[in-house]
Amino acid sequence: MAYGYTGKILIINLTTGNFSIDEHDEIFYRQYLGGPGIGAYYALREIKPGIDPLAPENVLIFAAGVVTGTPAPAVPRYTVCAKSPLTGGIGRSEAGGWWGPELKAAGFDAVVVKGKADHPVYLKIEDGTYELRDARHLWGKETDECQRLIREELGARYRVVQIGPGGENMVLFANIVNELAHFNGRNGLGAVMGAKNLKAIAVKGSNKVPCFDEETVKNTTRWAAANMKDHPPAYGLHKAGTPGGVTIVNAGGALPTRNWQENTFDRAAEIGSDKLEEILIQRGGCYSCPIRCKRVVKVEKEDLNVDPALGGPEYETLVCLGSNLGIGNIELIAKANELCNKYTLDTISMGMTISFAMECFEKGLITTEDTGGLELKFGNETILLPLIKLTAYKEGFGAKLALGSARLAGEIGQGSEQFLLQVKNQEVPAHDPRVKTGVGLQYALSSHGADHWTAQHDPFFQEAGSPGLQALEPLGIFKPVSATALSADKVRLIYYTHLMTVMYDCLGVCVFGYVARSIVPVDKLVEMARAVTGWNASTWGLLKAAERTSVMLRLFNNREGFTSRDDTLPKRLLEAVPTGPLSGKNKIDEQLFGELIKLYYQMAGWDEDGKPTAAKLYELDLDWALEYIN
Amino acid sequence: MAYGYTGKILIINLTTGNFSIDEHDEIFYRQYLGGPGIGAYYALREIKPGIDPLAPENVLIFAAGVVTGTPAPAVPRYTVCAKSPLTGGIGRSEAGGWWGPELKAAGFDAVVVKGKADHPVYLKIEDGTYELRDARHLWGKETDECQRLIREELGARYRVVQIGPGGENMVLFANIVNELAHFNGRNGLGAVMGAKNLKAIAVKGSNKVPCFDEETVKNTTRWAAANMKDHPPAYGLHKAGTPGGVTIVNAGGALPTRNWQENTFDRAAEIGSDKLEEILIQRGGCYSCPIRCKRVVKVEKEDLNVDPALGGPEYETLVCLGSNLGIGNIELIAKANELCNKYTLDTISMGMTISFAMECFEKGLITTEDTGGLELKFGNETILLPLIKLTAYKEGFGAKLALGSARLAGEIGQGSEQFLLQVKNQEVPAHDPRVKTGVGLQYALSSHGADHWTAQHDPFFQEAGSPGLQALEPLGIFKPVSATALSADKVRLIYYTHLMTVMYDCLGVCVFGYVARSIVPVDKLVEMARAVTGWNASTWGLLKAAERTSVMLRLFNNREGFTSRDDTLPKRLLEAVPTGPLSGKNKIDEQLFGELIKLYYQMAGWDEDGKPTAAKLYELDLDWALEYIN
């Protein structure tokens, strides 16, 4: 454990207050790497099937990646895993920021939280020491106030991962934040933290993560910084951030609008990155990243102040709280984003749940009687901020919104399910599977519900000679695949790039800093991982470790009763595009889509119900998990 | 096609005398690499199912590897493919020596031979030019004489690949030789050459194979040469060659003796490497190899001259023509080896066919009436050389031996099948599957019949920290597996190392110079392949290309009617070891063995009958081969 790792995983049982430390041999680390690899390992072994995700029996794992916290470029990432209260399957959600690197500097690769404290607590970790502290005075505080108070108590240099009122109140899509602006956004893992009465984990470390060959690692960083401008996608992210996508996607006829009843938004320009420039005060970023894709925004108006400390809206937020609600007011969206962030609510699920409710309202399935008098109409700017606050505190109609759209549809009934845009109970992000069919496959296949982060996006691979396609050459994919193809080639592309993104997550590197959008190709990444660890690792071995992770995540779900029936897309996203330049086009053939899902299973070594076979478990040295498929 | 390759594949139709040149794009080369990759590609596409392997419709492919002929270390290899007259399935056989590098220097990556000449011919290739020449004056000549005559005609610098009388007379296990001592040994591909009336291919080239980064390539060679002594297995091969195995294997109770009726040979020391030293005059080697594992022997006796030009006996030969026949006379075996080499007969199949006949003779199933008066008794030294000559010329009992043991058993009948030691009609090499169960699995699974060269051997992986196991770490295998285990771990080991050896063959590197026995670990090999080609290749991509090759070879067999019933071991090798230190032990449970074969299919993405699934073909971009599985 000399290089890259600390070799220690902190286990805390909140019920008893007992701490212990797991130390594993090098083979464990080579097989499970870090991030979701270690997260899935503990989740699958420590969480009993069938438990209530909000019960003390759930286990919450925070795990840094292999190269997280080293001087390599764009390596801030860590993963949170638990059983998800939103999906009922495996929860896993990655974040950047600074907390992961700090955890490693403090002497731990991961923290595993079991049980439930009998009153609010927070965990303090500093250079190999750990302590549970009373958090009763922090409970109920919004994130900025909570972080300020913790730093007052402990000192300014503590990095704080925490939940706000949304997590405390167990909103089913509550998220977890570090440094106020970096989110483990999805799967409602903040609610699990809240259910455990764990307000925060404050970490300070002064150790350097040791690298086997630090000079090579640093050279990669220098190279990445020097070459960023030559890589248009990376430089574009620097210049415009993810909001750069809004007007491009709108022009392409694929911007989710008014609960995806439309595909273009007439006010798209008003919520795009050019407009955002007007309130932009700086570019923000994460540990060790030259790209700095984050937007920091500030609004100072009498009744609309946006505090820059809480981060600016991403593409997903601008769409889910903007066009998708028929709202074209960038300052309002920035404020809505700031509120979600203070409360720790996932902006995608928040926006998509509101848009679902709006469609139900406009179609008369719910009325002001249900909403406490709020006119849930698309474009109604006056209700957005109140709805978010009501949700965080589960007050009034907010108590319904706090369930997420799928459960809300269950309460509303009357065929409202047809307006849902979710997979495995998690709301879909703002990428249209009809123009990126690979994203559609990953929405359907993802173990943790609709997600745009578990494989690469189709447009990067449709042109011969493009940097995206060149980045796949090490994987043995050489031929372009069109973004809208529904073909075996597309399935392979998604299968391989899924493994690749899981590998990124396990390593602790950010997809934005690496392949596809990207300045560091996969072969350079492997070289860097070797330099950090001293391992004779290869792309094969690292991708097989990623597959091991992916299979464990899948097994968790199988054990909870998930089957191939859960690997589908919402009906609305199979229909022809309703409006805009693609109007009437790009219908997805449901039978063909289903056949491609089955083809994916076969390529992946899963049975026809989507369950990994015994042979796959044997291949991946997961014999210990055989009991979960029998 | 700038680096590593010439970009040209020469096609010759011997029936018409027409030449043509195939030029493929870079994607073709990245997907099929070279060696058996290109061999299998042409075999599967150009050979119609069901043809007689000795008919003009068979197609014979000579293909160099990716790095063959570059200044990299130990890169002499090329492959010959065709439908095998011995197995009726795919024939593929690799050789080292000098011919492959010369072919590339002459401007071709491969030569594809179709049709049949109406009289003996040979092919002359020189620096991009090619010409068919009359070989009537060479027909009937032994290999040394033939090579001498061709060089007289064309010049001394020609490298000659050729057949002797064994190939001309279509002995079903005739092989192909280059430089008199380097053999495409197995599968009877020399008979295919003979059936086409193609005596030889003489090649001369003056071009340098271009490397993208020649300095890195040369540094690998310098490193390999300088470090050989630090790698005991490689240095052992240099010191003792493969014959070093004889006494070690005998001491371990695993030396095939008297048609494998016994497992130790009381005269083992007389045929071991120490004894061989007495007739050793130098160490021979191949193009660019620092190891020089070949033995060059000389005997000058009145009635037993062994010409050093024809090479010395390998481990396989010392066993198959020695202990397995009960013969403990090293000079006689060296002479028998020299004769086989002159005639181009595979020493493994020759020896194992004789030993089968001896057992039949001793058990009274055949008599001197069948053998033309020869006393086919184990240990009868007087009959060995006559039997080899009779076989090459298909005279007397030699005409029966020329069929190989399986067909001979068909002629003898009377239950003689129980004495057979073959898989898919090809005789097993001299490695006992009861002490190396992985070798047993590869014997059974190999597309080209029993073979000891298609996966790594078990003893290298049974000790934690051993160089063999470290060499597998890049593949994600970290835990030792005992040589005699019959387990899922063993199946994975064989599946992965099979892909690895196919990768070596496709690249054109020699297993002896690389992993396991080895001075160049797999990660350094990938780095070297990148330096040669300029490709952003990775271990994943190269292993997937190897899998593509393996699947094509398998498909060829499926198309010819091979099923899981052909993936078995001979009964005798499932029984407990009969004699020696392991007497009564190491019985292989037939049912368990069968289950592990099925497990291998599942890991490899093959159906329960051992046929690659459509999903596997899609994954490997082999859609064009889908018709062969329907």
Side-chain angles (χ1 to χ4, degrees):
Chain A
M1 271 329 94
Y3 302 107
Y5 292 99
T6 70
K8 291 188 195 303
I9 293 173
L10 182 63
I11 318 286
I12 163 74
N13 185 325
L14 293 176
T15 306
T16 63
N18 282 344
F19 287 93
S20 62
I21 289 173
D22 277 6
E23 297 188 79
H24 297 276
D25 62 12
E26 188 178 345
I27 292 178
F28 170 85
Y29 282 98
R30 291 200 70 161
Q31 289 198 317
Y32 299 101
L33 299 178
I38 286 180
Y41 176 86
Y42 275 95
L44 193 56
R45 294 173 77 105
E46 301 289 341
I47 301 173
K48 291 203 171 55
I51 62 150
D52 174 358
L54 299 177
E57 289 72 28
N58 205 353
V59 178
L60 189 67
I61 305 112
F62 298 75
V66 178
V67 302
T68 302
T70 66
V75 294
R77 311 272 294 179
Y78 70 99
T79 302
V80 180
C81 282
K83 181 170 178 176
S84 164
L86 186 65
T87 71
I90 185 70
R92 82 139 166 136
S93 193
E94 274 74 29
W98 279 268
W99 189 84
E102 197 74 28
L103 180 68
K104 274 205 171 165
F108 297 99
D109 300 318
V111 180
V112 178
V113 183
K114 303 179 178 182
K116 176 187 176 177
D118 60 9
H119 62 81
V121 294
Y122 76 97
L123 176 57
K124 175 195 161 197
I125 298 176
E126 182 188 351
D127 279 340
T129 68
Y130 33 83
E131 176 189 1
L132 269 184
R133 296 174 67 100
D134 196 332
R136 278 176 282 209
H137 60 301
L138 301 173
W139 204 251
K141 295 284 185 289
E142 293 169 8
T143 57
D144 45 356
E145 178 70 358
C146 174
Q147 179 170 293
R148 192 183 62 75
L149 290 169
I150 289 178
R151 287 187 175 163
E152 258 180 33
E153 257 175 67
L154 304 181
R157 276 207 51 246
Y158 276 80
R159 303 289 189 184
V160 179
V161 75
Q162 59 160 322
I163 51 170
E168 294 174 11
N169 297 322
M170 294 178 270
V171 173
L172 294 184
F173 50 84
N175 60 25
I176 297 172
V177 65
N178 79 85
E179 296 295 302
L180 304 186
H182 302 274
F183 299 89
N184 303 92
R186 311 222 64 199
N187 284 179
L189 298 173
V192 178
M193 216 167 149
K196 292 187 172 304
N197 267 330
L198 180 65
K199 178 68 172 170
I201 307 179
V203 177
K204 193 174 96 176
S206 59
N207 300 309
K208 217 173 100 173
V209 179
C211 291
F212 174 76
D213 171 8
E214 193 163 293
E215 204 41 42
T216 295
V217 176
K218 284 182 174 166
N219 281 339
T220 315
T221 304
R222 287 179 201 117
W223 177 86
N227 285 274
M228 189 177 67
K229 286 202 177 177
D230 302 331
H231 292 256
Y235 195 62
L237 273 175
H238 171 72
K239 288 293 283 179
T242 59
V246 174
T247 49
I248 297 168
V249 173
N250 188 62
L255 194 75
T257 302
R258 298 184 183 89
N259 203 40
W260 233 306
Q261 294 177 94
E262 295 160 73
N263 263 48
T264 50
F265 184 45
D266 50 6
R267 299 179 67 187
E270 295 171 56
I271 61 171
S273 54
D274 286 351
K275 188 74 183 173
L276 195 67
E277 285 280 331
E278 296 175 9
I279 57 172
L280 188 76
I281 60 166
Q282 66 179 93
R283 294 182 175 81
C286 299
Y287 172 88
S288 85
C289 183
I291 294 180
R292 301 182 65 77
C293 71
K294 297 277 177 189
R295 307 296 94 177
V296 180
V297 301
K298 185 172 182 178
V299 179
E300 286 181 303
K301 286 195 173 168
E302 202 172 325
D303 55 351
L304 198 76
N305 277 300
V306 178
D307 180 353
L310 289 134
E314 301 281 352
Y315 165 79
E316 301 295 336
T317 309
L318 292 166
V319 175
C320 294
L321 294 174
S323 59
N324 197 49
L325 304 180
I327 288 175
N329 178 340
I330 193 107
E331 292 180 347
L332 178 65
I333 299 170
K335 181 66 191 178
N337 177 63
E338 183 228 53
L339 273 193
C340 284
N341 292 358
K342 266 184 211 264
Y343 299 142
T344 56
L345 299 176
D346 170 32
T347 56
I348 299 175
S349 284
M350 183 76 258
M352 295 295 296
T353 301
I354 295 174
S355 72
F356 167 76
M358 283 179 167
E359 185 169 354
C360 290
F361 186 90
E362 290 206 342
K363 291 186 170 160
L365 277 55
I366 55 174
T367 66
T368 48
E369 225 165 277
D370 303 292
T371 65
L374 296 170
E375 290 280 334
L376 251 61
K377 291 196 169 158
F378 289 108
N380 183 351
E381 295 188 358
T382 63
I383 58 172
L384 181 56
L385 304 182
L387 281 175
I388 292 170
K389 187 166 183 187
L390 289 170
T391 301
Y393 290 96
K394 285 187 172 173
E395 290 169 358
F397 189 62
K400 302 294 184 193
L401 294 174
L403 299 170
S405 59
R407 288 175 178 81
L408 180 54
E411 301 223 344
I412 294 172
Q414 309 169 67
S416 61
E417 292 77 8
Q418 64 186 302
F419 312 142
L420 279 176
L421 293 153
Q422 55 83 14
V423 178
K424 299 184 180 77
N425 284 0
Q426 175 160 283
E427 291 71 20
V428 299
H431 303 266
D432 194 323
R434 292 167 294 198
V435 300
K436 300 180 187 179
T437 52
V439 169
L441 288 166
Q442 54 173 307
Y443 280 174
L445 286 159
S446 165
S447 294
H448 48 284
D451 183 83
H452 58 297
W453 204 248
T454 55
Q456 295 287 355
H457 286 213
D458 312 62
F460 296 106
F461 311 109
Q462 50 181 3
E463 273 176 50
S466 64
L469 201 56
Q470 282 177 346
L472 295 190
E473 287 176 0
L475 305 190
I477 293 181
F478 306 108
K479 298 174 185 170
V481 184
S482 103
T484 54
L486 278 167
S487 63
D489 283 353
K490 180 59 64 78
V491 174
R492 175 183 56 239
L493 186 73
I494 291 306
Y495 174 40
Y496 280 21
T497 63
H498 167 66
L499 296 182
M500 197 164 73
T501 58
V502 175
M503 178 178 87
Y504 296 158
D505 292 337
C506 290
L507 291 176
V509 304
C510 177
V511 172
F512 279 5
Y514 287 78
V515 180
R517 265 166 268 201
S518 107
I519 50 172
V520 184
V522 70
D523 37 355
K524 210 164 185 82
L525 172 62
V526 173
E527 189 190 313
M528 199 191 71
R530 291 170 64 105
V532 167
T533 59
W535 293 340
N536 54 356
S538 79
T539 310
W540 174 279
L542 293 175
L543 286 171
K544 282 290 166 188
E547 189 177 20
R548 184 175 293 115
T549 299
S550 179
V551 161
M552 287 189 292
L553 296 167
R554 186 88 192 170
L555 283 178
F556 189 100
N557 278 17
N558 297 140
R559 200 174 62 171
E560 295 290 344
F562 285 75
T563 69
S564 65
R565 285 187 305 280
D566 300 296
D567 294 339
T568 56
L569 281 183
K571 293 283 181 206
R572 179 166 286 175
L573 298 183
L574 299 170
E575 291 161 10
V577 172
T579 64
L582 299 175
S583 178
K585 296 180 187 159
N586 293 46
K587 182 173 161 50
I588 292 180
D589 181 315
E590 192 169 358
Q591 189 185 333
L592 173 60
F593 189 82
E595 285 166 6
L596 295 180
I597 294 283
K598 300 276 177 174
L599 180 60
Y600 185 101
Y601 294 170
Q602 290 164 15
M603 282 193 195
W606 301 352
D607 71 14
E608 60 179 14
D609 211 23
K611 196 190 290 185
T613 60
K616 183 51 76 179
L617 299 195
Y618 282 124
E619 189 205 332
L620 298 172
D621 201 24
L622 289 173
D623 311 22
W624 57 265
L626 279 169
E627 59 177 302
Y628 305 134
I629 60 167
N630 295 326
Chain B
M1 274 326 95
Y3 302 107
Y5 291 100
T6 69
K8 292 187 194 303
I9 293 173
L10 183 63
I11 318 287
I12 163 75
N13 185 324
L14 293 176
T15 306
T16 62
N18 282 345
F19 286 94
S20 63
I21 290 174
D22 276 5
E23 296 188 80
H24 297 276
D25 63 12
E26 188 178 345
I27 293 178
F28 170 84
Y29 282 97
R30 290 200 71 160
Q31 290 197 317
Y32 299 101
L33 298 179
I38 287 179
Y41 176 86
Y42 275 95
L44 194 54
R45 293 173 77 104
E46 301 287 341
I47 300 172
K48 291 204 171 55
I51 63 150
D52 174 358
L54 300 177
E57 289 71 28
N58 205 353
V59 178
L60 189 68
I61 304 112
F62 297 76
V66 178
V67 302
T68 302
T70 66
V75 294
R77 310 272 292 178
Y78 70 99
T79 301
V80 180
C81 282
K83 181 169 178 177
S84 164
L86 187 65
T87 71
I90 187 69
R92 80 140 167 137
S93 193
E94 274 74 30
W98 279 268
W99 189 84
E102 197 74 30
L103 179 67
K104 273 206 172 163
F108 296 99
D109 300 317
V111 179
V112 178
V113 183
K114 303 180 177 181
K116 176 186 177 178
D118 60 9
H119 62 81
V121 294
Y122 77 97
L123 175 57
K124 174 196 162 198
I125 298 175
E126 183 188 350
D127 279 340
T129 67
Y130 33 84
E131 175 190 0
L132 270 184
R133 295 173 67 102
D134 196 333
R136 276 175 282 209
H137 61 299
L138 302 173
W139 205 251
K141 296 283 184 288
E142 295 169 6
T143 57
D144 46 355
E145 176 70 356
C146 173
Q147 180 171 292
R148 191 182 62 73
L149 290 169
I150 288 178
R151 288 186 175 164
E152 258 181 34
E153 257 175 67
L154 304 181
R157 278 207 50 246
Y158 277 81
R159 303 288 188 184
V160 179
V161 74
Q162 60 160 320
I163 51 170
E168 295 174 11
N169 296 322
M170 294 178 270
V171 173
L172 295 184
F173 50 83
N175 61 24
I176 297 173
V177 65
N178 77 85
E179 297 294 301
L180 303 185
H182 303 274
F183 299 89
N184 304 91
R186 310 221 66 197
N187 285 179
L189 298 174
V192 178
M193 216 166 148
K196 293 188 172 303
N197 267 331
L198 179 66
K199 177 70 173 171
I201 307 179
V203 178
K204 192 174 96 177
S206 59
N207 300 308
K208 218 173 98 174
V209 180
C211 290
F212 173 76
D213 171 6
E214 193 163 292
E215 204 42 41
T216 294
V217 175
K218 284 183 173 166
N219 281 340
T220 314
T221 304
R222 287 180 201 116
W223 177 87
N227 286 275
M228 189 176 67
K229 285 201 177 177
D230 301 331
H231 292 255
Y235 195 62
L237 273 176
H238 170 72
K239 288 293 284 180
T242 59
V246 174
T247 50
I248 298 168
V249 173
N250 188 60
L255 195 74
T257 303
R258 298 184 184 88
N259 203 40
W260 233 304
Q261 294 177 94
E262 296 160 73
N263 263 47
T264 50
F265 184 46
D266 50 6
R267 300 178 68 187
E270 295 171 57
I271 61 170
S273 55
D274 287 350
K275 188 72 184 173
L276 194 67
E277 286 279 330
E278 296 175 10
I279 57 171
L280 188 76
I281 59 165
Q282 67 178 91
R283 293 181 175 82
C286 300
Y287 172 88
S288 85
C289 182
I291 295 179
R292 300 183 66 76
C293 70
K294 297 278 176 187
R295 307 295 95 176
V296 180
V297 300
K298 185 173 182 177
V299 180
E300 285 181 304
K301 285 196 174 171
E302 201 172 327
D303 55 351
L304 198 76
N305 277 299
V306 177
D307 179 354
L310 289 134
E314 301 282 351
Y315 166 80
E316 301 294 337
T317 308
L318 292 165
V319 176
C320 295
L321 294 174
S323 59
N324 198 48
L325 304 180
I327 288 175
N329 177 340
I330 193 109
E331 292 179 348
L332 178 64
I333 299 171
K335 182 65 191 178
N337 177 64
E338 184 227 54
L339 272 193
C340 284
N341 293 357
K342 267 185 212 264
Y343 299 143
T344 56
L345 299 175
D346 170 34
T347 58
I348 297 174
S349 284
M350 183 77 259
M352 294 296 296
T353 302
I354 295 174
S355 72
F356 166 77
M358 282 178 166
E359 186 169 353
C360 290
F361 186 91
E362 289 206 341
K363 291 187 170 158
L365 277 56
I366 54 174
T367 66
T368 48
E369 226 165 277
D370 303 291
T371 65
L374 296 170
E375 289 280 335
L376 251 61
K377 290 195 170 162
F378 289 109
N380 181 353
E381 297 188 356
T382 64
I383 59 171
L384 180 56
L385 304 182
L387 281 175
I388 292 169
K389 187 166 184 186
L390 287 170
T391 301
Y393 291 95
K394 286 186 170 172
E395 290 169 358
F397 189 61
K400 302 293 183 192
L401 295 174
L403 299 171
S405 59
R407 288 176 177 81
L408 179 55
E411 300 222 345
I412 293 172
Q414 309 169 68
S416 61
E417 293 76 9
Q418 64 186 302
F419 312 142
L420 278 176
L421 294 153
Q422 54 84 13
V423 179
K424 300 185 179 77
N425 284 0
Q426 176 161 280
E427 292 71 19
V428 300
H431 303 267
D432 194 323
R434 292 167 294 199
V435 300
K436 300 180 187 179
T437 51
V439 169
L441 288 166
Q442 53 173 307
Y443 281 175
L445 286 159
S446 166
S447 295
H448 48 283
D451 183 83
H452 58 298
W453 203 249
T454 56
Q456 295 287 354
H457 285 213
D458 311 64
F460 296 105
F461 312 109
Q462 51 181 3
E463 274 177 51
S466 63
L469 202 56
Q470 282 177 345
L472 295 191
E473 288 177 359
L475 306 190
I477 295 180
F478 307 107
K479 298 175 185 170
V481 184
S482 103
T484 55
L486 278 168
S487 64
D489 284 354
K490 180 60 65 77
V491 174
R492 176 184 54 239
L493 187 73
I494 291 307
Y495 173 41
Y496 281 22
T497 63
H498 168 65
L499 296 182
M500 198 165 71
T501 58
V502 175
M503 180 177 85
Y504 296 157
D505 292 337
C506 290
L507 291 177
V509 304
C510 177
V511 172
F512 278 5
Y514 288 78
V515 181
R517 264 167 267 205
S518 101
I519 50 172
V520 184
V522 71
D523 38 354
K524 212 165 183 81
L525 171 61
V526 173
E527 189 191 312
M528 198 192 72
R530 290 170 63 105
V532 167
T533 59
W535 293 341
N536 54 355
S538 80
T539 310
W540 175 278
L542 293 176
L543 286 171
K544 282 290 167 187
E547 189 177 20
R548 184 175 294 117
T549 299
S550 179
V551 162
M552 287 189 292
L553 296 167
R554 186 87 192 170
L555 283 178
F556 189 99
N557 278 15
N558 296 140
R559 200 173 61 171
E560 296 289 345
F562 285 75
T563 69
S564 65
R565 285 187 305 279
D566 300 296
D567 294 340
T568 56
L569 282 182
K571 294 282 181 208
R572 178 166 285 175
L573 297 182
L574 299 169
E575 290 161 10
V577 173
T579 64
L582 299 175
S583 178
K585 297 181 186 159
N586 293 46
K587 182 173 160 53
I588 292 180
D589 181 314
E590 192 170 356
Q591 189 185 334
L592 173 60
F593 189 82
E595 285 166 6
L596 294 180
I597 293 284
K598 300 275 177 175
L599 181 59
Y600 185 102
Y601 294 169
Q602 289 163 15
M603 283 193 195
W606 302 351
D607 70 15
E608 60 179 13
D609 210 24
K611 196 192 289 186
T613 60
K616 182 52 76 178
L617 299 195
Y618 282 125
E619 189 205 334
L620 298 172
D621 201 24
L622 289 173
D623 312 20
W624 57 265
L626 280 168
E627 60 178 301
Y628 305 135
I629 61 167
N630 293 326

